[in-house]
Amino acid sequence: MERVQVQDHDTGGLPAYLHLDEKTKGAMFGADARWTRLVLDASYLHGKASVAKDLATNRTGEIVLDLNAAETAAPGRFASKDKLPWANRDRPWTPEDFSRSRNDDLILRMAQFAAAHHVHTVLAPTHLLGGTGEPWLPVDADGCRQLRAALDRLGCAHVSIDYPVLAPLARVREHAWRKQVISALADLPFGQLWLRVGGFGLHEDKRAGILVVALQDFQALGRPIVLDMAGGVASLAVLACGAVSAMGHGIAKGEKMDFSQWRKEPKAGSSGGAPMASRAYLAQIDAFLKKDQLADFAGQVPAQAMIDRHCQNFLRDRAAQLDNALSGSAEERAAAFVADQRRRLWELEQEIKRGDAPGLAATQLDKARQRTKALIRGLEETGATRFRSFAVPLLQRSHDALQYPLDLQP
C-alpha cells in the first residue's frame, strides 16, 4: 500500500474529482464547499507555480497533479504537452525509450515538479493500454515504484500516489486482460486506482451495466476506485451500483473518454480543433445544449443567462445528482437508483405525450427517454444492481501540503 501521512477513509466531501483549467477554476470560488477534490494538469501548471498554492490556500481539500504522461506517448496528443520537462518534443515516447537510466531521470523531473507545486497527490506516469502484449504495463509499474522513491528522497513522503489505468472499454471487458492488469498492480505503492475507460461516459447509458460487471474484478485490489473523465447519468449509475468510489470530470466538460484521436497523427497546421461552443448542462435530459437549443427549454430564464452561469449551475446540479445517487445504504443504492430512473422515464414520457414542447426540445426529450430506457434495461440484463462487492471509500488527504519543507535537490 502507499506510504502517506494520512490514509483514513473519507467521510465528507462529494465523491468526485474536478479537473480544472484557466477557464473553469474561477467557478470553484463560491461553489458548494463539498467540492474538495481538484485535479490540475501539469501542462496547465507549467510556469504557474502559484496556481496550486492559491487553490490550496483558498479551499480545504485535495490537489491532484496529472503528469500528462499518457499524452506524451500519444501521436495525437504529444505536441500539446511538449513543454513539459519529461516530454519528447520530436515524437511521442514508446516503451522502448524507457531504459532504467532514462526512466530515473524523467521520474526525478516529475517528482521535483510535484514537490514544487504543493500538491497532495500525484497520478503515476502511466500510458494508454490496449495494445498487443501491453508493453507499457511493466514500464508503468516500474515508473510508479520509482516515483515513490524519488518523492521520498525529496522529503515528500506526505505526497500520495494514485495509479491511472487508461484503456478502451473493449479491453476492460476482457477477463484475461483485467487479470493481467490487476496482477501487475497488486503490490505497487499507490493508494487509489483511477480508470479512464475509452468509449464510456456521457450518453453511454446502455454500457453502464457492462462496466459495472467488468469492474467487479478490480475490487480484489482493495483500493478506492475513481472512474475518471466520465460523467452523465451513465457514470452516476456505475457509482450508485458500488463499482467505483468516485467519478472525475471537468466542469461542464470532460465527461467522456475518447482515445480515437490519441492514436492519430495531428494534421499539419492543426491548432487542436475549434474552441468548445458555449453551452449549458440540463440535468432533466442529461445533455449539454447550445444557445439556440436552450431557447426551447429556458422558460423564464434567458438562454444567454444559462450560458453565462453554466459552470456554477453545472456544479450545483451535479452535486444534487451525486447526493441522490448515493442516498441510503450501499446495499440499497442500486435499486433506489433504478427506481429513480424509472420515475425519470415516466416524467419524460408524460412531457412528450403532452406535445407542447417545441421541435428541438421534443427531439431532446425523446433522446433522453431512449437513453434512460437503455440504461435501465442494461442494468437489469447484466445483473449490475445485484452485486454485493462494493468499492471502498475514498482516502482522506486534506492535510496541508504547504506546511512541509521542500528539498528539490536529487
Side-chain angles (χ1 to χ4, degrees):
M1 292 291 289
E2 67 168 344
R3 290 173 290 165
V4 296
Q5 200 164 55
V6 180
Q7 287 205 79
D8 293 336
H9 289 286
D10 187 47
T11 56
L14 292 168
Y17 283 86
L18 286 175
H19 292 253
L20 300 186
D21 57 26
E22 187 63 38
K23 293 181 179 179
T24 59
K25 71 181 179 69
M28 295 306 303
F29 300 101
D32 190 322
R34 294 177 300 158
W35 288 108
T36 60
R37 299 178 174 91
L38 311 177
V39 185
L40 302 175
D41 281 0
S43 58
Y44 166 53
L45 285 180
H46 186 61
K48 303 183 183 72
S50 65
V51 172
K53 183 176 180 179
D54 290 345
L55 284 168
T57 301
N58 285 281
R59 294 187 71 86
T60 57
E62 179 185 5
I63 304 295
V64 180
L65 170 64
D66 183 350
L67 292 167
N68 301 132
E71 289 91 331
T72 66
R77 289 290 183 269
F78 83 98
S80 65
K81 312 298 179 184
D82 63 356
K83 291 182 174 59
L84 292 173
W86 48 89
N88 184 351
R89 297 188 178 188
D90 299 324
R91 61 173 175 79
W93 292 118
T94 68
E96 293 73 24
D97 290 320
F98 286 83
S99 63
R100 185 60 188 245
S101 60
R102 167 165 280 181
N103 214 12
D104 281 340
D105 179 57
L106 295 178
I107 294 295
L108 176 58
R109 298 179 196 176
M110 296 175 184
Q112 290 172 329
F113 189 95
H117 286 83
H118 308 285
V119 300
H120 302 88
T121 303
V122 58
L123 298 183
T126 64
H127 303 83
L128 177 59
L129 302 178
T132 304
E134 298 297 8
W136 276 117
L137 195 55
V139 173
D140 293 346
D142 191 49
C144 180
R145 296 187 190 95
Q146 290 176 277
L147 181 60
R148 180 71 274 161
L151 287 168
D152 290 350
R153 288 197 303 272
L154 294 175
C156 292
H158 60 280
V159 176
S160 305
I161 295 177
D162 284 353
Y163 195 99
V165 171
L166 294 77
L169 180 59
R171 278 295 199 201
V172 176
R173 293 181 65 180
E174 296 176 6
H175 175 71
W177 181 88
R178 297 195 300 270
K179 184 177 179 181
Q180 178 187 8
V181 172
I182 292 168
S183 176
L185 272 54
D187 297 323
L188 295 181
F190 71 92
Q192 300 183 154
L193 176 69
W194 292 51
L195 295 170
R196 295 179 183 174
V197 182
F200 186 78
L202 182 69
H203 295 172
E204 295 298 336
D205 302 69
K206 63 182 179 182
R207 295 187 169 94
I210 293 171
L211 187 59
V212 170
V213 174
L215 295 186
Q216 292 302 305
D217 287 349
F218 287 98
Q219 310 303 337
L221 288 170
R223 323 282 179 98
I225 300 173
V226 180
L227 179 61
D228 194 30
M229 302 304 284
V233 173
S235 302
L236 289 163
V238 178
L239 180 64
C241 288
V244 298
S245 316
M247 51 198 281
H249 48 65
I251 299 181
K253 62 180 180 179
E255 298 239 317
K256 181 177 178 180
M257 195 73 250
D258 181 5
F259 292 125
S260 62
Q261 298 301 315
W262 285 42
R263 304 182 189 278
K264 298 178 181 179
E265 295 283 352
K267 296 179 180 179
S270 172
S271 60
M276 183 179 65
S278 296
R279 55 183 189 160
Y281 179 72
L282 291 187
Q284 175 193 10
I285 59 174
D286 188 35
F288 291 90
L289 300 183
K290 298 178 182 179
K291 184 177 179 179
D292 59 337
Q293 298 171 312
L294 284 168
D296 290 340
F297 282 96
Q300 300 300 314
V301 181
Q304 186 58 51
M306 297 176 70
I307 294 289
D308 292 341
R309 291 191 53 80
H310 73 281
C311 287
Q312 292 84 355
N313 293 341
F314 173 83
L315 291 175
R316 178 201 62 204
D317 292 341
R318 182 51 48 85
Q321 289 174 322
L322 288 165
D323 287 339
N324 185 59
L326 295 182
S327 61
S329 68
E331 293 75 13
E332 298 169 340
R333 286 171 186 162
F337 182 85
V338 172
D340 186 64
Q341 293 307 304
R342 289 190 184 282
R343 287 192 295 272
R344 178 168 170 262
L345 176 61
W346 181 84
E347 291 170 356
L348 288 167
E349 290 177 337
Q350 293 305 304
E351 189 159 357
I352 291 171
K353 285 180 181 179
R354 286 197 295 270
D356 53 5
L360 284 175
T363 299
Q364 292 295 335
L365 287 168
D366 187 57
K367 288 181 177 179
R369 177 187 66 84
Q370 294 179 47
R371 290 194 300 268
T372 306
K373 288 181 66 175
L375 173 69
I376 296 169
R377 182 170 60 250
L379 293 174
E380 293 181 337
E381 289 179 351
T382 59
T385 62
R386 296 193 293 272
F387 284 106
R388 289 297 177 264
S389 176
F390 305 122
V392 297
L394 293 171
L395 298 176
Q396 170 65 22
R397 286 136 164 196
S398 59
H399 56 274
D400 182 6
L402 304 182
Q403 69 178 299
Y404 297 94
L406 301 179
D407 177 8
L408 301 187
Q409 298 303 312

